[in-house]
Amino acid sequence: MTAAQGYRIGIDVGGTNTDAVVLDGRLDVVASVKRPTTADTGDGVAAAIDAVLDAAGIDPALVTHAMLGTTHCTNAIVERRGLGRVGILRLGAPATTAVPPLEGWPEDLRRAIGEHAHLVAGGYEVDGRLLAPLDEDAVRAACRSMRGEVDAVAVVGVFSPVDERQEERVAAIVAEELGVPVSRSARIGSLGLLERENATVLNAALMRTLTQMAEGFVGALRARGIEATPYFGQNDGTLMQLEYALEFPVLTIGCGPTNSIRGAAHLSGATDALVVDIGGTTTDIGVLVGGFPRQSAHAVEIGGIRTNFRMPDVLSVGLGGGTIVRPQGDGVTVGPDSVGYRLPQEGLAFGGGTLTATDVALAVGGATIDGLTPPELEAATGAAAWAGIRELLEDSIDRMKPNAAPVPVILVGGGSIIAPDELDGVAELIRPEHFGAANAVGAALGEIAGQVEKIYRLEGTDRRASREDASREAAERARLAGADPATIELVAVEELPVAYLDGQAVLIRARAVGRLAA
């Protein structure tokens, strides 16, 4: 191992633990650690960095890349805290006034981001014809009314994925009038005005949130003499460099499960399997296809808000190492509530007074933890709880299987010690080395992706030229996200018909992937 090759640090901040790993130039795991997630996540990240550097025994100056996967943005939405105030400019009057922006949003979330929503004339028809000319005077007036009261602006044009010019012009006006970050819908979501608008508003609300997280992350690195390039994990299992992440923070929302899936693939060598990631609070089950997480084909709800940007296809159930088990009649109930990060204080085996799934696994001999004596349980209670855990896992796996045939399952996550060694419907149960830090390994792997979805009118246009245009833009987005241009490859191009339009219009989705820039 030479200094020129450098090391990578991967960090994943979960609800219970913050995991950290060091990978060498061959992407082998040098060291992995777990530290409790703290109320101020930055403190937990700093503690994890210190611990993994100490465990690896390396010079911090040799760390060339640092990657962070975090649920910070997800938590901000769910808990309605730390969100920026957003001004919304919808370009769609008079056609879209019947359903105003933020319609159907939970009232507490509306209050958190503010009520600065404006509808101005503009937008396009589904076939690209002008719906209404852009009213620039109205845009400037809306900006003046929001001055000093918003942290970012979301710009949403009717059918802007067909033509982005009006959104681009409004973004320029906002920059002149307000000087705050702008979130443009054509770069975030696909067709579907309300879902795309919701995703764009959430993205704008998270810009300040992720900036604060990033400042703490970079500060912790620099304080330890690590001048590494910082990256954030994104929803499709790839990475994006800091500047790109700050522009598109909403793309970090699903990175926790995807990091686990990518890490599981790397540690096990499998390319097609189900990945079962058991943490302290939940079990996340994803599908590994060709080494990457399968993406969801459905609209995704986040914090009660329906969106349409890409997210992993993941099933989450309330089962983890800290899941509370309660005797009930002749049987037991398993969760879904959990003691979470308080497991070392509240679990029976740790001297606490709460029966958890970890206690059950220890009591029936399904797991061992160095230094802990299994708690004493009535045989009937232990057997019923162990059977309940097994049944919940088997049912959840069946829900994600592509068919009834047994499938290989990769078990990862610190809580996976609660899983039995055999499960019905599973062809092979794989527990790779370093399984407890698979999420941090996934965060550190280091591929960069760019994806674009655009509608093209094909009359008078070479179909090949449309595909090439989408491919070029996907490659450019990969470059902006931090990929080495010499390594970028086009990995997928799809053509999909567009509803309500003739056969001369198609939605082209292109995806390009490259390696980390040196």
Side-chain angles (χ1 to χ4, degrees):
M1 179 71 203
T2 66
Q5 288 176 295
Y7 294 89
R8 301 180 182 188
I9 285 183
I11 300 168
D12 188 273
V13 183
T16 303
N17 289 304
T18 294
D19 298 322
V21 299
V22 170
L23 304 186
D24 62 21
R26 297 181 300 274
L27 300 184
D28 292 330
V29 178
V30 178
S32 63
V33 301
K34 282 184 180 291
R35 288 296 179 269
T37 295
T38 54
D40 181 345
T41 54
D43 293 340
V45 168
I49 293 174
D50 287 337
V52 79
L53 287 174
D54 183 63
I58 63 171
D59 181 353
L62 296 181
V63 178
T64 56
H65 297 85
M67 296 81 167
L68 179 67
T70 177
T71 57
H72 194 62
C73 287
T74 309
N75 295 341
I77 295 171
V78 173
E79 298 173 17
R80 286 35 169 165
R81 59 171 176 78
L83 298 171
R85 300 166 300 169
V86 180
I88 305 167
L89 290 171
R90 183 196 288 177
L91 320 179
T96 65
T97 56
V99 183
L102 306 184
E103 184 71 16
W105 281 46
E107 189 58 36
D108 57 349
L109 187 54
R110 291 174 67 118
R111 288 195 303 270
I113 67 168
E115 297 281 354
H116 293 282
H118 301 266
L119 277 73
V120 301
Y124 294 91
E125 299 281 4
V126 67
D127 60 2
R129 290 177 295 136
L130 191 67
L131 177 65
L134 177 64
D135 187 342
E136 294 194 10
D137 291 338
V139 172
R140 292 187 184 276
C143 287
R144 287 192 292 271
S145 72
M146 295 186 290
R147 189 168 291 148
E149 297 186 13
V150 298
D151 300 301
V153 171
V155 178
V156 186
V158 176
F159 284 110
S160 59
V162 178
D163 193 324
E164 299 182 34
R165 287 176 295 176
Q166 286 189 352
E167 282 195 357
E168 290 170 347
R169 176 57 186 153
V170 171
I173 294 173
V174 171
E176 293 173 16
E177 295 284 344
L178 297 176
V180 298
V182 177
S183 177
R184 289 202 297 110
S185 77
R187 302 202 67 196
I188 294 171
S190 185
L191 294 180
L193 175 64
L194 298 181
E195 292 86 354
R196 175 162 44 88
E197 182 173 76
N198 291 343
T200 306
V201 174
L202 289 178
N203 189 71
L206 292 168
M207 285 177 162
R208 187 181 70 174
T209 309
L210 193 65
T211 296
Q212 294 171 344
M213 180 73 177
E215 289 173 350
F217 178 44
V218 174
L221 294 173
R222 302 299 181 251
R224 289 152 180 79
I226 300 174
E227 297 299 322
T229 304
Y231 291 83
F232 278 81
Q234 59 175 324
N235 300 336
D236 61 359
T238 59
L239 298 170
M240 50 187 169
Q241 65 182 358
L242 179 62
E243 293 77 9
Y244 195 82
L246 295 180
E247 184 178 355
F248 301 105
V250 77
L251 296 182
T252 70
I253 284 177
C255 72
T258 58
N259 285 342
S260 293
I261 296 170
R262 290 280 287 130
H266 181 73
L267 293 172
S268 67
T271 57
D272 296 275
L274 289 189
V275 175
V276 178
D277 178 16
I278 307 178
T281 303
T282 62
T283 292
D284 296 322
I285 302 177
V287 184
L288 183 64
V289 179
F292 282 89
R294 184 176 72 189
Q295 298 296 294
S296 175
H298 306 289
V300 177
E301 278 204 4
I302 301 167
I305 307 302
R306 187 177 173 87
T307 66
N308 68 350
F309 58 90
R310 66 184 188 271
M311 285 284 284
D313 187 7
V314 173
L315 172 67
S316 293
V317 295
L319 176 65
T323 293
I324 298 173
V325 178
R326 297 180 176 88
Q328 187 177 64
D330 294 332
V332 298
T333 60
V334 179
D337 51 338
S338 169
V339 297
Y341 64 85
R342 302 185 308 279
L343 177 62
Q345 290 78 43
E346 298 190 17
L348 288 183
F350 298 89
T354 304
L355 176 60
T356 69
T358 297
D359 297 316
V360 171
L362 293 172
V364 302
T368 60
I369 298 177
D370 291 343
L372 287 185
T373 301
E376 294 185 5
L377 289 184
E378 291 185 6
T381 299
W386 190 239
I389 291 171
R390 176 171 181 159
E391 182 180 1
L392 186 53
L393 282 172
E394 290 173 345
D395 288 348
S396 301
I397 289 170
D398 282 344
R399 291 171 62 185
M400 292 299 286
K401 288 165 58 175
N403 52 54
V407 295
V409 168
I410 308 169
L411 273 175
V412 295
S416 62
I417 63 170
I418 70 171
D421 289 331
E422 293 184 1
L423 294 170
D424 290 342
V426 174
E428 180 185 10
L429 204 58
I430 305 168
R431 297 178 191 257
E433 189 177 4
H434 301 291
F435 65 89
N439 46 7
V441 172
L445 287 179
E447 289 181 298
I448 308 289
Q451 181 165 306
V452 64
E453 295 183 11
K454 294 183 68 174
I455 295 175
Y456 291 87
R457 297 289 302 182
L458 299 180
E459 63 266 20
T461 302
D462 182 0
R463 181 183 296 268
R464 183 184 304 170
S466 299
R467 292 170 65 93
E468 289 176 351
D469 179 74
S471 300
R472 279 194 300 271
E473 185 165 341
E476 175 62 11
R477 291 193 182 187
R479 185 191 68 80
L480 291 173
D484 180 352
T487 68
I488 296 175
E489 296 180 356
L490 187 70
V491 296
V493 181
E494 298 176 88
E495 285 188 26
L496 303 171
V498 181
Y500 311 116
L501 286 184
D502 58 37
Q504 296 301 306
V506 294
L507 172 68
I508 298 181
R509 180 183 297 134
R511 176 178 166 83
V513 175
R515 293 194 294 274
L516 286 174

